[in-house]
Amino acid sequence: MTKLLISLILASGLFATQTMAYDFGKVLEDAAKKKIEDVKNGGETPATATVPDKATSPAPESGTSSATTSAATAAPPPAQPEFNWKNPSKEEEIALGREITGSLLGAAPLVKDEALQKYVNQVGRWVANQSERADLPWKFGVIESTDINAFAAPGGYVLITKGLYQKLHSEAQLAGVLGHEIAHVVKKHQLKVLQKQQLLGYGAGKLSGLFGKNDKLAKKALGTGAEISARGLDKDAEFEADRMGMVLATRAGYDAYGLADVLQTIGQTNKSDSSVALLFKTHPAPDERLARLGDSVGGSLDNIKAGKTLENRLYKLN
Amino acid sequence: MKDYLKLLILVGLATPILVFADAGTALKTDTVRAEPFADAKTVGNINKNDSVDILNKKGAWLQIKTKKTSGWVRLLSVKRGAATVSNNAKGVIDVASGRAGTGQVVSTTGIRGLSAEDLKAAKFNEDEMKKMESHTLSASDGQSFASAGGLNTVKLAYLKGAK
Ligand SMILES: [Zn+2]
């Protein structure tokens, strides 16, 4: 019922905002179209989704009566501030990312090494400065896990596992890895997936009241927040993050091939080693990523002055 | 083998160059050139999945040798390692790292995985979050750190996706 309600609000809102040149327009449109299709296929009142007056006719199915309610309540603004899934503010984006990241930290805490945490924040912050979202309060952390992986969450949260950190040989390589994650945030890759889910009605209701009167996040919103990190993005989002990550690190003055080095290393890890299980589940194969990166780079870096690798400044773990 | 030795000695003398004598695999078809420059003479080419010996690295170029040719190719056209990796070691690795087939940690030897199941079961940790937040740096902190390392920004547009 809640699902239908959301889809109806979405469907009616969609036509009013069609001219809006907004980044999420396509996602929303796809989501709405799919939902409308679902409703059609389910034999429920399809075209009436945007026609409130149909609601006056008697409804044998409960789904239709909820449509009545939603159509009626869609007009006045809700009493309680709700999470604006269609067009989240920067603050909402950060709050969402905090929830996801806090949950990831519940699965694997930060490595207890203040100097290490400071160091990754320095490198990460500098790379993030090169992006179009330098205004975000970027936060980086190394987490206590032998897995080889890294995570990004909306609003500027980036985590890298100790297992991956220990594979690094230079600051440029760290910059490349962080650059990939920063790119996910800049392009709102995870946020778009969450928006689509919410607008399609998956887990709808869980997030209603996410922001209370005091703008405080309800705990346990999003199911368990880290769950999103266990699901992959689409391949194109990953290739895009590779291209952007490489460029961000290069702009920051690092050797352009740091990320590629790390992909080489990961590519040499035995595919059946459980330390790369989640990474390989959520990302295209390293070979494919390298090849795609090579196709995109071509000769475009030929005239770029060689950047720094800074092997010696890479913070050494005990 | 003798050439290989000579190369190691040669390379060893030139300090900033990395030593390579790795097996590699071509990731795609690419031109092999006489020197590590885009406009250097073409001496041959590599095709996807060709086995190559990686002899040297210079900037964004790798010096390689195949059955048919030798010369320089772009760094991103070759992956290190042989084409096929054996999976024979799977069981051994899983046992050695204290993991069961599920990817879950089954012993307490300090190994700590982060599987999809772990993430699904994860609970928000406010203390760790606060710790992470306490390390937040400003844009100018980043700038100071870059200056200390002699990092200078470079103008470079984002790359377009291939195909
Ligand atoms: Zn990614």
Side-chain angles (χ1 to χ4, degrees):
Chain A
M1 229 201 274
T2 331
K3 283 184 191 176
L4 182 64
L5 192 143
I6 298 246
S7 76
L8 289 173
I9 293 167
L10 168 66
S12 48
L14 183 72
F15 301 104
T17 55
Q18 215 150 34
T19 50
M20 191 173 67
Y22 187 66
D23 199 17
F24 301 127
K26 179 76 169 67
V27 176
L28 296 175
E29 202 181 315
D30 290 350
K33 274 183 190 155
K34 189 177 178 298
K35 191 65 207 176
I36 289 165
E37 274 310 306
D38 289 352
V39 172
K40 268 185 195 165
N41 296 339
E44 294 189 63
T45 57
T48 56
T50 53
V51 185
D53 63 9
K54 174 77 195 257
T56 51
S57 56
E61 230 280 283
S62 61
T64 319
S65 60
S66 84
T68 316
T69 331
S70 79
T73 51
Q80 208 184 2
E82 286 199 16
F83 195 94
N84 183 0
W85 277 110
K86 210 157 87 179
N87 190 1
S89 66
K90 185 168 120 183
E91 286 68 32
E92 285 172 320
E93 205 186 329
I94 292 168
L96 199 56
R98 189 179 196 274
E99 196 61 27
I100 294 165
T101 308
S103 168
L104 274 161
L105 289 170
L110 294 168
V111 175
K112 287 184 181 28
D113 184 336
E114 295 285 307
L116 168 71
Q117 303 298 349
K118 184 184 177 189
Y119 174 71
V120 292
N121 273 280
Q122 287 173 315
V123 177
R125 178 73 236 194
W126 175 237
V127 176
N129 280 3
Q130 315 309 318
S131 80
E132 50 275 56
R133 300 207 70 191
D135 61 306
L136 286 173
W138 292 91
K139 292 164 179 62
F140 302 83
V142 184
I143 51 176
E144 196 63 70
S145 168
T146 49
D147 259 36
I148 295 169
N149 217 335
F151 305 93
Y157 295 87
V158 175
L159 294 173
I160 166 176
T161 63
K162 188 176 174 181
L164 176 51
Y165 189 89
Q166 284 173 319
K167 296 268 179 198
L168 304 176
H169 300 291
S170 72
E171 190 171 301
Q173 293 181 359
L174 175 61
V177 170
L178 297 179
H180 173 100
E181 300 304 328
I182 289 165
H184 279 316
V185 175
V186 170
K187 299 305 283 187
K188 301 182 175 173
H189 286 149
Q190 285 85 0
L191 182 63
K192 284 174 188 172
V193 169
L194 287 166
Q195 283 180 300
K196 204 167 176 173
Q197 276 169 17
Q198 292 302 319
L199 295 168
L200 278 170
Y202 300 130
K206 271 187 191 170
L207 278 155
S208 54
L210 177 63
F211 286 84
K213 281 172 231 155
N214 308 321
D215 217 34
K216 210 176 171 186
L217 265 177
K219 298 302 170 203
K220 283 188 175 177
L222 289 170
T224 72
E227 209 175 327
I228 174 81
S229 311
R231 271 175 259 141
L233 298 165
D234 64 61
K235 279 187 168 195
D236 285 335
E238 294 303 340
F239 296 137
E240 185 178 35
D242 284 340
R243 295 196 301 274
M244 282 182 69
M246 184 178 187
V247 169
L248 291 173
T250 310
R251 284 181 186 171
Y254 291 107
D255 169 48
Y257 296 90
L259 176 62
D261 288 346
V262 178
L263 290 174
Q264 289 278 8
T265 305
I266 292 169
Q268 288 180 298
T269 310
N270 192 313
K271 288 174 184 60
S272 53
D273 189 322
S274 53
S275 70
V276 287
L278 185 59
L279 177 71
F280 283 3
K281 184 191 151 212
T282 56
H283 284 77
D287 291 8
E288 201 183 346
R289 292 172 66 183
L290 282 166
R292 289 291 289 256
L293 201 49
D295 288 343
S296 303
V297 171
S300 57
L301 299 178
D302 287 351
N303 298 318
I304 298 286
K305 207 176 116 230
K308 290 190 185 302
T309 50
L310 298 182
E311 287 96 339
N312 295 331
R313 197 162 73 161
L314 182 72
Y315 182 86
K316 304 286 184 302
L317 278 171
N318 301 319
Chain B
M1 262 307 155
K2 273 179 207 158
D3 287 353
Y4 172 74
L5 262 173
K6 253 189 272 173
L7 179 89
L8 281 179
I9 293 159
L10 255 167
V11 168
L13 293 172
T15 30
I17 299 171
L18 288 166
V19 181
F20 275 98
D22 285 349
T25 310
L27 287 166
K28 63 172 96 169
T29 302
D30 200 5
T31 308
V32 181
R33 298 185 185 278
E35 288 176 89
F37 308 108
D39 48 6
K41 204 182 92 189
T42 301
V43 293
N45 56 290
I46 48 170
N47 293 308
K48 191 175 175 176
N49 293 329
D50 278 358
S51 296
V52 306
D53 285 329
I54 304 168
L55 309 175
N56 201 352
K57 177 181 182 273
K58 204 170 188 181
W61 295 81
L62 289 178
Q63 188 176 28
I64 55 136
K65 192 177 183 317
T66 71
K67 279 177 192 156
K68 296 172 290 180
T69 185
S70 63
W72 297 83
V73 292
R74 290 188 185 277
L75 184 64
L76 292 173
S77 300
V78 171
K79 78 151 179 167
R80 294 201 296 268
T84 48
V85 179
S86 156
N87 283 333
N88 292 345
K90 180 176 164 38
V92 179
I93 285 170
D94 285 346
V95 170
S97 61
R99 287 150 191 273
T102 56
Q104 295 285 68
V105 177
V106 294
S107 73
T108 50
T109 52
I111 303 284
R112 195 143 164 193
L114 201 50
S115 68
E117 291 75 28
D118 296 331
L119 295 181
K120 273 173 202 152
K123 299 258 186 319
F124 188 93
N125 187 327
E126 181 70 31
D127 289 348
E128 288 296 312
M129 191 68 234
K130 288 226 167 73
K131 225 190 270 176
M132 185 178 181
E133 285 169 336
S134 74
H135 290 111
T136 312
L137 298 179
S138 68
S140 62
D141 291 332
Q143 175 66 66
S144 315
F145 175 75
S147 304
L151 292 166
N152 295 309
T153 54
V154 169
K155 269 203 161 55
L156 178 65
Y158 286 129
L159 303 166
K160 288 193 178 69
K163 275 169 263 177

